[in-house]
Every structure is written in structure tokens, then in C-alpha cells.
DNA sequence: CGGCCACTTGAGCGTACTCAAAACGCGTGG
DNA sequence: CCACGCGTTTTGAGTACGCTCAAGTGGCCG
């Protein structure tokens, strides 16, 4: 397993001071696979940049919406509050993602957005946003973005509602893999940017079950795991887990 | 339990021929609690009305999007296909709801929409839709609708991902109750318009568990159930189920 | 009345959870 | 540099919740 590097550079790579130079937002705003020039919305965003440390809140559920945020660097999670006080992670966000759109309904956020590590986001103020959307093209872009997010959330609800633990973790790995590939990185080797606890919370499992399942995949030589470093040896094996119900 | 009527009129009430007269869409399009005049979008829809029998598809996952649909009468469900061939219900739709918005991302639907009984929907063709949205007010309305739907789906993902069976069924009953109240009906007495199987599929449970849980609630005198007829005696008891984790 | 379908209820099982302990990584300080 | 301590992760053992399989009930329609 010499090919798995440790992640020493994690914090060094995001030293709380991210400049726009290395942040290739211009090209990576398409990273979501959007069929349009999403970055046409975001150059404006430079005027209001926000830096967050690990664990800091971008916004909290209930906060009135200031605008929409574009992730320039680092990673965040979206958590919806439950009636019993717990929080459930419903999405992870990486470079190029838009965050905060669920507030467009009420004008107030229905979820928290929390930085997983040092990260930087751009705020597009609501007023500017409205003005920008007077252009039909941008208006269509936003609708597509929202539609895509809605479809993604529907798929996630189906995953946590029906699949077994092994299937959920496999789906998670495959989605991470596809996400990195879409951003131009390897689909076989990547670093999980969240804890086992976060993965479990996201998938509706305990962190012990996540850990056990990853170990199981590794014992089958489908993957290699070392801490947050993942190496996928057999994508097809993971996919085939999803093809048979149960 | 004499106050629970049987549902003899179910099919008679929706006899495959719904006129616009009894369908109070004009006022009920606000039924979702939208803070705007949603019906300003939908008068146009009259030009293309669609009637569906129970079990008929409004559209299927993969179909190219023709437009957005407004439910005028009856009930539908949205189902996302899983890789193993099964389908998972991610939403139910009633009078006044908009259906098909998850296709705005790809231009193709990512879920099926299936009629639960005889029902009638209005199609707003995509072209007309785009033209209508040139008006800023309507554009904002649609964004709010999408944001609301997104927030609702996030909440649903959290429910099926973290809550126990009793909590899920309680949440479901409370949401049904709130939905009927919002539409001007009783929040204590209503008719479930879907089967136990559909409820289970929606909540990530088996229909046996749904049935057992309803019986349990009834044995506690929190509700009365007879077939699809529900009478809620103790809303607070159901709510208190959600206040303590586990 | 008979058949069908949706629903209810029961008994036993299996997956994922709970509780618990040990190993590991990482930052800090001697 | 190594020792220490904290938090995360791994692994284990027992439990419980919801699932599976199965029988029985009730409503509806031919």
C-alpha cells in the first residue's frame, strides 16, 4: 500500500489564506458537470469573499438569507436540524459548488453550512443576484442548478431510505470517485475530506458501521483505506453491489 | 369510532372527468403556503390539461421534459429508479402542487410521476414557461418554489436517514395533518390517499412495519385508523415522539 | 357466494446499533 | 527526539429494531 500517501499537507494546503490565483474557479465552476458556463454568474462574487476555519459556520438554519455562496476552496457540509436537537448532514460541498439555495423558498436558511476545514467561499448578495438574473441566460442557469440540486437530493433520500449499509457506503465511494473524476482528478485515488462520523451521519449509519464496511471492502481487495486516503481497486465490484436488491 | 367514514366515494369523487369548476385551483394553488400568488403562473395551463387513471404515468425517469405540471385534482407520487430496478417514492403530490421540477437540471426527468388515483394535471409547456419567466416576479416565484422543494427534500432525507420507525410514521402523519390544515381541511381527520405499501416505500420501511406502527399508535389512543381513514386524537403525543432522540 | 387484493398480526431471524476496549494518528511539551 | 495525551478510527461482543416469511382478516366486486 505504498501508493497511499498520508495527508500531511491537508492543513498546509488550505492555510486560511487562499488567493484567487491557485483557485481555478473560472474553469472549475463547471466541475459539477453543468452544461453551461456557470462561471458567468460568479466573477461578481469576488467582491465579497469569506474565509472560514474548520468547524466555523457559514450560516445557520434560521438565518435570513444574504445570498448564494460559491465554494472557491475547501469543503463544507450542510446539516438540517432535527426536532430532537441532533443535526443530519444532507450534503457535502467542494470547490465549484453553490451553497445556500434551499433558502430561496422562505428567505431563511433551513440548514447549517459548516466548514470541514479551512475554506473560502464567495457571497453573491441577494440584490446583485436578482439583478443578474434579469438576463434570461443566467436565469436559466440558476434554474438548472436548482433542478440538479433537487434531483441530487431526491437520489440521496432514496439511497438512505432503501439501501443496505454496504450499498450506502459503496454509493458514497462511487459518488466521491465520480466527483473527483469530474473535477479532473483520479477516480481511483482520493482523500476523504470528512470524518467517519460525518460519513455515517450523511448515510444514516453509525461511524462504527462505516468503518466496518470500509474494512470489509478492503478485506475483499476492492479498495485500500488508510485513514482518510482511499484507493479504489475494483470500481465494478462496488457497482455490482448496487445491482442486486438487498 | 363512528366518526370515521369509509371511503366509498373515493373513485366516484374523481370520475376521470374533472371539470375546472369544482377544482378550486385558483385559491388552492397557494395551498402549499407559498408567500406569493403562484396561480399567476397557472391560468395559462388550462390550454393543456391531462387526465390520468390510477397507476398511469405522467412521465417516466429519462423522459425529456415537456414542461412543469400543476396538480388540479387527485394525487400523484414521484419515484426515483434505483440501480437494482426497484423504485423509491420520494414525494407525494396533491392539489396545488407543482410536479416535474427536478428535470430542470438535465432537461430530462430523473423520477417517475405516477397517478395514485384518477387525477388531473395541467402542463405548462417549457417554451411558454421560459417566456413567462421573463417577468421578474414570476421568475422569483419559481425560484421560491424550487427552493422550497429543495428544503422539503432535505428534510425528508434527514427523516428517512435518522429517525426510528415510530418517529418516521409520526412525522408522516404530522406532515399529512399539516398539509390538510394548510389546504383548509381538518388537521385531525383525513384520508390517506396512498397504500400502506406506498407509505412504507416513502419512509424507508416495510408496509408491515407501517401497519404495526399505526396499530401501536391506535393502541395508545393517539390516533384511530380504519383503512385509509385517520383520526388524530393526540397531536402532541406524536410530536413528543420526535423531541427525544432514539 | 367466491375470489382477489389490501391490510393486519404473529413468530423468528438478521442487520445495524450500542456499549466497550484497544490501536492509531497527530499535535504538544518535556 | 521521544513521551504524553487527546481525538479519531478500528475491532469486538451482545442487543434490539425492523425485516422476512407466513397465516389470518376484512372490504370490494364480479
Amino acid at each position: 500500500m505504498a501508493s497511499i500517501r498520508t495527508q500531511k499537507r491537508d492543513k498546509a494546503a488550505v492555510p486560511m489564506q487562499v488567493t484567487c490565483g491557485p483557485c481555478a474557479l473560472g474553469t472549475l465552476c463547471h466541475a459539477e458537470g453543468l452544461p453551461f458556463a456557470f462561471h458567468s454568474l460568479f466573477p461578481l462574487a469576488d467582491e465579497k469573499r469569506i474565509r472560514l476555519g474548520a468547524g466555523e459556520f457559514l450560516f445557520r438554519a434560521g438565518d435570513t438569507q444574504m445570498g448564494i455562496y460559491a465554494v472557491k476552496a475547501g469543503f463544507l457540509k450542510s446539516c438540517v436540524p432535527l426536532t430532537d436537537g441532533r443535526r443530519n448532514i444532507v450534503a457535502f460541498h467542494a470547490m465549484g459548488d453553490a451553497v445556500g439555495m434551499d433558502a430561496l423558498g422562505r428567505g431563511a436558511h433551513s440548514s447549517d453550512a459548516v466548514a470541514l476545514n479551512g475554506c473560502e467561499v464567495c457571497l453573491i448578495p441577494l440584490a446583485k443576484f436578482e439583478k443578474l438574473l434579469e438576463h434570461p441566460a443566467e436565469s436559466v442557469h440558476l434554474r438548472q442548478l436548482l433542478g440538479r440540486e433537487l434531483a441530487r437530493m431526491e437520489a440521496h433520500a432514496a439511497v438512505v431510505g432503501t439501501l443496505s449499509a454496504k450499498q450506502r457506503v459503496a454509493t458514497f465511494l462511487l459518488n466521491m470517485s465520480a466527483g473527483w473524476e469530474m473535477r479532473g482528478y483520479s477516480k481511483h485515488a482520493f482523500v476523504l475530506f470528512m470524518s467517519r462520523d460525518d460519513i455515517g451521519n450523511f448515510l444514516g449509519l453509525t461511524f462504527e458501521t462505516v468503518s466496518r464496511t470500509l474494512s470489509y471492502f478492503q478485506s475483499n481487495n476492492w479498495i485500500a483505506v488508510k485513514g482518510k486516503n482511499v484507493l479504489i481497486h475494483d470500481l465494478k465490484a462496488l457497482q455490482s453491489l448496487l445491482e442486486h436488491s438487498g
Side-chain angles (χ1 to χ4, degrees), chain A residues 58-59 65 67-69 78 93 98-104 108-109 111 113:
Chain A
L58 178 57
F59 53 76
Q65 183 183 29
I68 285 193
Y69 304 86
S78 287
H93 308 284
V99 180
M101 294 187 296
D102 60 359
L104 287 171
H109 291 284
S111 58

Side-chain angles (χ1 to χ4, degrees), chain A residues 158-159 162-175 203 217 222 235-246:
Chain A
V159 165
T162 64
L163 300 188
S164 69
K166 282 169 190 167
Q167 289 178 315
R168 293 188 212 185
V169 176
T171 302
F172 176 74
L173 289 176
L174 291 171
N175 285 344
L203 294 176
F217 288 169
W222 296 342
L235 275 170
K236 294 212 184 307
L238 297 178
Q239 284 160 350
S240 70
L241 269 183
L242 308 178
E243 284 161 16
H244 316 287
S245 96

Side-chain angles (χ1 to χ4, degrees), chain A residues 137-214:
Chain A
E138 271 74 22
S139 180
V140 170
H141 296 171
L142 180 72
R143 276 207 299 292
Q144 291 182 335
L145 199 59
L146 275 160
R148 187 169 282 266
E149 203 62 26
L150 182 57
R152 186 205 307 271
M153 196 54 64
E154 285 177 352
H156 178 60
V159 165
V160 298
T162 64
L163 300 188
S164 69
K166 282 169 190 167
Q167 289 178 315
R168 293 188 212 185
V169 176
T171 302
F172 176 74
L173 289 176
L174 291 171
N175 285 344
M176 291 298 294
S177 170
W180 286 120
E181 186 183 23
M182 200 168 359
R183 286 172 170 80
Y185 297 101
S186 167
K187 66 178 172 183
H188 294 108
F190 48 84
V191 175
L192 300 173
F193 48 82
M194 71 295 280
S195 68
R196 300 287 190 274
D197 212 353
D198 281 342
I199 298 172
N201 187 309
F202 176 67
L203 294 176
L205 302 169
T206 59
F207 66 91
E208 295 100 321
T209 298
V210 172
S211 178
R212 262 186 266 272
T213 307
L214 289 174

Side-chain angles (χ1 to χ4, degrees), chain A residues 44-66:
Chain A
L44 292 175
D46 282 338
E47 61 185 77
K48 182 101 184 191
R49 225 150 348 125
I50 300 170
R51 272 187 277 275
L52 296 170
E56 282 192 273
F57 283 71
L58 178 57
F59 53 76
R60 290 167 193 270
D63 289 355
T64 61
Q65 183 183 29
M66 307 301 297

